[in-house]
């Protein structure tokens, strides 16, 4: 630290200094410092209170952290930013906190129908049928009874399926199960449509849902607000967005309506064919990953290869533990995946895929292996989003191919009980953070909000406790990691997954001043109480962008 001080021109004073803190620097040797100060949009110095005093001038704003944690801003490496912001802002939130039964959902639809014009979409999102009183999905007839004159879409929390009313199904010409792949249009015992659509059938209808520019902009602003309140300073936006949303998002970052740094993935969720076309159009421009600036930068190309862990619909090698007839839905077969990975890899793009089950993950690894053999590329940083169900062999292949898995330990906090039921012993290698560390695999962390919530404490809780928040039922506790480990994954590793570890992800002189102060010293705080920890202050580019009113 002394050396760094000597190298600084003498008259630079800090704009802001955090003192008396437990600073988790996430530096190479994991230094815990007492203080950190910023000048302009960069970190000026990190070290002892005494050292930082050298940089404080008459105009320096001094923040006494009183022993609490100060750390790099969280980098949420997998979040559906705009989609999340739209909840309660254009889209009705029906997650487990807002509704407990289908009756509750129907009341909300009825309310929307009373304020919307005939024919306008009513969109709801976030229900989990496993958590509803009725323990089933709603039926189209139930929606028809409260909203006969509006198309209704009610998306499950995993975003891989949704229930539609008759108006919506007619509008989109869905009349029989034969129009889509087996299992995607759910029917009752008599062969009648229930309104529940899965995967491609669901995605292709989603494309027809229209929200206004105003609704979208409100959603974007709301998403930014939620990030800052949660200490999140960068997001890798898992999309997917059409032209209007992408354009509004870029504009909002450019004029700083959105302060959080956004890295959108190139992805179209409206089914495989639609996704292929979208990606190919993009590749044909010759533009590739990392175009942009520190506020808005192009991320990887993403494809969606299977379902979700909680549906459960992810593609598994062995059948599910609760139902021996189920192995999930595999959307991309090996040859198609190979072809796409090869194209993306050769276009200099960073590649990623939503791949959850061990079967889907294996398809991606096979594809990466072939592409890298065909055209070796140093520092490709190809990723796998979720990479949830793994095994020893998968972890070794991830390591050998230098793939970055983007894990979601928050899922453990919320779904531990279901996971034990669906996957049995396999939870030992589900989001295997400990195994990643032991194998020198760099994993980044994503909340996958709105599938979970943006609050990073869900991820911290799941990573260190490996249990359900409500019941404390444990789930693969062999994969528990320490608080410093998960902080590194959630900051520095997120920067690494975006080729940005030289400019952010740790608190070191010269890096961007993206800092968060928490309400506690999390290094020495009861692990089971982590959900009580709040973000007290968020700084981006040296500017305090959020302060909690205490
Ligand atoms: Zn996602």
């Amino acid at each position: 630290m002394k050396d760094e001080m000597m190298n600084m021109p003498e008259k630079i004073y800090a704009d802001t200094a955090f003192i008396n803190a437990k600073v988790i620097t996430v530096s190479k040797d994991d230094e815990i410092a007492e203080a950190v100060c910023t000048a302009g949009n960069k970190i000026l110095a990190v070290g002892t209170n005494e050292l930082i005093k050298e940089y404080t001038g008459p105009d320096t704003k001094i923040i006494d952290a009183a022993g609490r944690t100060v750390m790099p801003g969280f980098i949420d490496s997998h979040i559906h930013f705009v989609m999340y912001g739209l909840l309660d802002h254009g889209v009705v939130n029906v997650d487990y906190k807002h509704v407990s039964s289908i009756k509750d959902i129907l009341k909300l639809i009825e309310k929307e129908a009373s304020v919307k014009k005939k024919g306008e979409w009513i969109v709801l999102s976030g229900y989990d049928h496993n958590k509803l009183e009725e323990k089933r999905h709603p039926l189209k007839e139930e929606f028809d009874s409260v909203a006969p004159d509006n198309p209704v879409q009610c998306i499950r929390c995993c975003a891989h399926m949704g229930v539609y009313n008759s108006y919506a199904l007619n509008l989109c010409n869905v009349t029989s199960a034969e129009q889509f792949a087996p299992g995607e249009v759910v029917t009752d015992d008599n062969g009648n449509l229930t309104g529940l659509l899965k995967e491609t059938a669901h995605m292709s209808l989603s494309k027809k849902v229209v929200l206004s520019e105003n609704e979208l902009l409100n959603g974007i602003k709301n998403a930014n607000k939620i990030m800052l309140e949660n200490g999140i300073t960068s997001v890798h936006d898992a999309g997917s967005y059409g032209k209007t949303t992408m354009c509004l998002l870029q504009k909002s970052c450019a004029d700083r309506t959105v302060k959080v740094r956004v890295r959108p993935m190139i992805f179209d969720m409206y089914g495989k064919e639609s996704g292929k076309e979208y990606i190919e159009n993009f590749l044909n421009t010759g533009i590739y990953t990392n175009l942009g600036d520190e506020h808005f930068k192009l991320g990887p190309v993403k494809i969606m290869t299977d379902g979700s862990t909680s549906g459960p619909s992810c593609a598994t090698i062995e059948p599910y533990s609760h139902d021996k007839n189920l192995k999930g839905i595999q959307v991309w077969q090996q040859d198609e995946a190979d072809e796409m990975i090869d194209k993306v890899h050769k276009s200099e793009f960073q590649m990623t895929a939503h791949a959850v089950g061990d079967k889907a993950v294996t398809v991606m690894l096979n594809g990466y292996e072939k592409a890298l053999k065909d055209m070796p590329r140093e520092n490709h940083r190809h990723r796998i989003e979720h990479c949830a169900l793994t095994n020893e062999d998968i972890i070794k292949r991830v390591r050998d191919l230098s793939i970055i898995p983007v894990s979601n330990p928050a899922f453990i906090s919320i779904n531990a009980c279901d996971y034990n039921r669906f996957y049995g012993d396999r939870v030992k290698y589900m989001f295997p953070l400990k195994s990643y560390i032991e194998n020198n695999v760099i994993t980044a962390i994503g909340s996958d909000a709105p599938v979970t919530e943006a609050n990073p404490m869900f991820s911290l809780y799941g990573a260190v406790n490996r249990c359900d928040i409500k019941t404390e039922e444990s789930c693969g506790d062999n994969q528990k990691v320490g608080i410093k480990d998960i902080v590194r994954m959630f900051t520095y590793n997120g920067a690494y997954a975006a080729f940005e570890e030289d400019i952010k992800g740790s608190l070191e002189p010269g890096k961007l001043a993206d800092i968060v102060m928490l309400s506690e010293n999390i290094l020495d705080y009861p692990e089971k109480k982590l959900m009580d920890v709040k973000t007290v202050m968020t700084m981006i580019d040296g500017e305090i962008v959020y302060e909690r009113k205490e």
Side-chain angles (χ1 to χ4, degrees):
M1 276 300 125
K2 279 272 147 60
D3 286 344
E4 249 128 38
M5 200 177 86
M6 309 273 275
N7 289 337
M8 289 292 174
E10 249 175 60
K11 275 191 188 150
I12 294 187
Y13 286 120
D15 294 326
T16 308
F18 295 84
I19 58 164
N20 298 325
K22 287 278 181 207
V23 182
I24 309 179
T25 63
V26 200
S27 66
K28 213 172 183 183
D29 37 3
D30 257 329
E31 183 197 352
I32 304 299
E34 271 180 334
V36 52
C37 65
T38 68
N41 71 338
K42 302 273 169 63
I43 309 278
L44 182 60
V46 187
T48 58
N49 284 332
E50 210 156 306
L51 171 82
I52 298 307
K53 222 180 260 168
E54 310 270 348
Y55 294 97
T56 52
D59 298 326
T60 304
K61 179 184 170 80
I62 300 198
I63 297 164
D64 186 344
R68 295 178 289 194
T69 293
V70 169
M71 56 172 274
F74 290 103
I75 298 176
D76 194 325
S77 298
H78 184 113
I79 182 167
H80 301 267
F81 182 73
V82 182
M83 211 186 277
Y84 191 48
L86 280 167
L87 280 178
D88 295 326
H89 291 74
V91 172
V92 182
N93 193 344
V94 287
D95 71 10
Y96 68 99
K97 284 189 177 165
H98 289 75
V99 303
S100 53
S101 67
I102 291 174
K103 259 181 253 152
D104 292 346
I105 296 177
L106 296 181
K107 263 184 226 152
L108 290 171
I109 295 177
E110 198 167 18
K111 196 173 140 207
E112 283 293 297
S114 71
V115 295
K116 292 234 173 186
K117 288 188 205 124
K118 279 187 182 181
E120 279 185 339
W121 277 93
I122 296 172
V123 184
L124 309 96
S125 180
Y127 83 95
D128 180 353
H129 63 287
N130 299 309
K131 291 184 169 68
L132 292 174
E133 260 169 37
E134 295 87 350
K135 302 267 177 233
R136 61 168 174 87
H137 298 276
L139 296 165
K140 74 175 185 331
E141 287 78 11
E142 290 170 321
F143 288 179
D144 293 345
S145 71
V146 286
D149 302 320
N150 297 78
V152 176
Q153 179 193 44
C154 184
I155 307 166
R156 192 184 175 274
C157 58
C158 61
H160 284 253
M161 50 187 93
V163 179
Y164 297 79
N165 68 346
S166 299
Y167 194 115
L169 294 171
N170 291 336
L171 191 70
C172 303
N173 301 316
V174 178
T175 50
S176 88
E178 280 71 48
Q179 287 168 258
F180 292 94
E184 290 195 339
V185 177
V186 178
T187 53
D188 61 19
D189 294 342
N190 302 319
N192 299 319
L193 307 193
T194 65
L196 177 61
L197 304 183
K198 297 181 175 178
E199 303 305 329
T200 302
H202 162 58
M203 307 296 181
S204 64
L205 259 71
S206 295
K207 206 172 182 172
K208 307 250 163 75
V209 177
V210 190
L211 293 173
S212 71
E213 242 181 70
N214 207 23
E215 280 174 318
L216 290 170
L217 198 56
N218 280 338
I220 288 172
K221 285 181 188 163
N222 185 44
N224 174 66
K225 180 169 167 278
I226 300 171
M227 296 308 110
L228 304 185
E229 287 167 357
N230 283 290
I232 298 163
T233 54
S234 295
V235 295
H236 302 175
D237 189 345
S240 93
Y241 307 123
K243 193 172 140 189
T244 314
T245 311
M246 191 66 114
C247 182
L248 284 171
L249 187 56
Q250 182 170 352
K251 241 184 229 169
S252 306
C253 289
D255 67 16
R256 303 291 182 275
T257 305
V258 167
K259 302 270 187 185
V260 62
R261 306 179 196 279
V262 179
R263 182 178 171 84
M265 299 183 198
I266 304 307
F267 170 55
D268 168 308
M269 69 182 276
Y270 306 117
K272 186 168 59 181
E273 293 312 319
S274 173
K276 273 185 192 170
E277 198 185 312
Y278 183 79
I279 291 169
E280 267 157 29
N281 284 338
F282 221 100
L283 297 184
N284 284 336
T285 64
I287 287 169
Y288 61 92
T289 308
N290 289 333
L291 178 72
D293 60 19
E294 288 157 4
H295 302 281
F296 184 88
K297 201 181 278 185
L298 220 51
V301 160
K302 178 186 153 196
I303 60 171
M304 168 94 84
T305 65
D306 69 340
S308 74
T309 50
S310 67
S313 54
C314 64
T316 55
I317 297 170
E318 297 298 327
Y320 285 107
S321 302
H322 70 298
D323 185 341
K324 297 293 173 212
N325 296 314
L326 286 183
K327 283 175 137 188
I329 296 176
Q330 185 183 344
V331 185
W332 287 69
Q333 303 307 316
Q334 188 67 59
D335 51 341
E336 309 173 285
D338 288 351
E339 201 184 314
M340 182 52 85
I341 293 169
D342 190 65
K343 249 185 233 170
V344 175
H345 179 70
K346 285 181 177 158
S347 304
E348 298 293 327
F349 248 105
Q350 182 186 25
M351 170 97 200
T352 193
H354 165 113
V356 175
D358 44 11
K359 175 78 203 193
V361 169
T362 302
V363 166
M364 284 311 294
L365 290 174
N366 293 343
Y368 282 142
E369 195 171 67
K370 273 181 217 150
L372 284 163
K373 207 169 179 185
D374 201 24
M375 195 185 97
R377 186 164 119 208
E378 286 291 312
N379 213 17
H380 54 77
R381 304 203 188 178
H382 293 323
R383 323 177 3 157
I384 296 179
E385 309 301 302
H386 314 301
C387 200
L389 273 191
T390 70
N391 54 46
E392 294 272 8
D393 179 54
I394 285 177
I395 293 165
K396 294 217 159 52
R397 293 185 71 196
V398 164
R399 178 196 63 197
D400 294 343
L401 295 165
S402 302
I403 302 300
I404 302 165
V406 180
S407 301
N408 321 106
F411 284 12
I412 301 285
S413 310
I414 293 172
N415 298 320
C417 309
D418 285 339
Y419 286 170
N420 287 332
R421 200 154 54 83
F422 299 153
Y423 307 109
D425 240 15
R426 284 172 282 188
V427 298
K428 281 186 191 159
Y429 285 106
M430 194 161 187
F431 302 115
L433 301 187
K434 181 85 181 169
S435 299
Y436 287 151
I437 293 174
E438 285 166 357
N439 286 280
N440 294 319
V441 169
I442 296 179
T443 179
I445 301 297
S447 66
D448 205 11
V451 181
T452 70
E453 290 179 45
N455 179 358
M457 292 309 144
F458 281 96
S459 300
L460 268 61
Y461 185 97
V464 303
N465 292 307
R466 288 295 295 205
C467 72
D468 189 282
I469 287 174
K470 280 191 189 153
T471 64
E472 296 197 6
E473 180 174 321
S474 92
C475 179
D477 58 6
N478 57 311
Q479 293 294 347
K480 275 184 191 175
V481 296
I483 199 85
K484 265 192 191 172
D485 299 323
I486 179 68
V487 165
R488 173 172 291 274
M489 292 169 186
F490 219 147
T491 55
Y492 183 89
N493 291 4
Y496 181 87
F499 301 89
E500 292 182 314
E501 74 278 13
D502 290 339
I503 59 165
K504 64 188 186 192
S506 62
L507 299 182
E508 293 172 284
K511 283 200 169 181
L512 290 169
D514 293 357
I515 302 176
V516 53
M517 182 161 83
L518 302 176
S519 61
E520 309 291 339
N521 164 20
I522 57 169
L523 291 173
D524 189 20
Y525 193 70
E527 290 172 342
K528 287 275 168 71
K529 289 195 167 169
L530 276 169
M531 292 309 296
D532 300 341
V533 177
K534 305 271 187 288
T535 292
V536 172
M537 185 182 284
T538 307
M539 175 184 269
I540 293 178
D541 264 342
E543 181 196 348
I544 295 169
V545 289
Y546 169 74
E547 244 179 306
R548 186 180 163 82
K549 290 179 194 78
E550 285 173 293

